[in-house]
Amino acid sequence: MMSSDFIRKLENSTAHRQSRESMSDSVSANPELLPVLMNVVLDTQNKNHYKGCWISELVFENHIDWLIPYLDIFCKTLSSYSHDGALRSVSKICLFSATYHLKKKKSGEGFLTDEQLELMMESCFDWLISDQKVATKAYAMRALYAFGKINDWIYPELKTILVQDYPNHSAAYQGASKEILKKLK
């Protein structure tokens, strides 16, 4: 697929799972499209960046190691996302990254540098304490829980936030929060 065709298809994509999966499958089958996708994802001024985030979430769910060449800029861009759809997807990518980083740490390797780790954790905390949708907060708290396994200062901070915010949020937030709080005991 030509990059111009891919961009046109991305612009016309929708939030429907089938549309996102079709685009993700195109990237997985044609990895040379990843730089094209990431140019959209990382350009928060691009009116379709959130659609790129939806697609990248599905790509990185299956190929998180494909994020490696983009990790620096991705982590530095995290604080720039404001579209709800983009935030949901990048927070989920942070969760994938946290999980993968832990897995690599167990085998003596790493996935994230200290700076990338710090930027990701900072963004997750920011999403958790700011006015974001529940899905973004839920992925952020799960990523922070994973990061807390290697950074012991995270758990007390996370617990304080979850306990304080628990009564002020929806049932969905409370469910995710309760799940993490149980693990923190």
Side-chain angles (χ1 to χ4, degrees):
M1 176 182 290
M2 300 270 300
S3 60
S4 57
D5 294 334
F6 178 77
I7 292 292
R8 191 169 26 263
K9 197 173 170 187
L10 182 142
E11 290 169 349
N12 294 320
S13 66
T14 67
H16 292 91
R17 182 75 183 195
Q18 185 177 356
S19 176
R20 292 181 293 131
E21 281 180 350
S22 171
M23 294 296 297
S24 170
D25 290 347
S26 294
V27 175
S28 293
N30 303 285
E32 67 276 5
L33 292 173
L34 185 61
V36 177
L37 174 62
M38 291 308 291
N39 281 336
V40 174
V41 168
L42 297 169
D43 179 5
T44 58
Q45 300 305 307
N46 183 314
K47 66 179 183 177
N48 292 300
H49 78 279
Y50 66 97
K51 292 181 178 185
C53 291
W54 295 341
I55 296 159
S56 68
E57 171 195 329
L58 296 177
V59 170
F60 295 134
E61 185 172 15
N62 296 312
H63 307 285
I64 191 63
D65 56 312
W66 288 10
L67 183 58
I68 292 171
Y70 306 97
L71 269 170
D72 277 338
I73 188 70
F74 176 75
C75 290
K76 289 174 183 166
T77 306
L78 287 172
S79 63
S80 302
Y81 291 103
S82 59
H83 187 281
D84 288 335
L87 284 165
R88 182 197 174 283
S89 293
V90 298
S91 65
K92 195 167 183 183
I93 294 168
C94 288
L95 175 58
F96 298 151
S97 297
T99 305
Y100 191 66
H101 184 71
L102 283 177
K103 180 181 170 186
K104 296 299 268 181
K105 275 289 229 200
K106 286 179 183 172
S107 64
E109 302 172 50
F111 177 62
L112 300 167
T113 66
D114 289 344
E115 181 184 1
Q116 293 163 351
L117 192 60
E118 187 176 318
L119 289 167
M120 218 174 258
M121 290 184 302
E122 183 179 303
S123 291
C124 286
F125 271 117
D126 286 346
W127 298 327
L128 198 54
I129 63 173
S130 63
D131 187 24
Q132 302 300 334
K133 299 272 185 176
V134 173
T136 299
K137 288 179 177 277
Y139 291 128
M141 68 177 75
R142 288 178 179 122
L144 288 167
Y145 176 77
F147 287 135
K149 291 181 178 184
I150 53 173
N151 293 284
D152 58 2
W153 64 267
I154 290 179
Y155 286 169
E157 297 288 324
L158 181 58
K159 186 175 183 177
T160 299
I161 292 167
L162 296 180
V163 168
Q164 284 177 341
D165 289 353
Y166 187 86
N168 306 321
H169 285 284
S170 68
Y173 177 93
Q174 289 176 351
S177 180
K178 194 175 192 178
E179 168 195 325
I180 299 299
L181 287 169
K182 271 185 183 176
K183 292 178 180 180
L184 292 174
K185 288 188 177 187

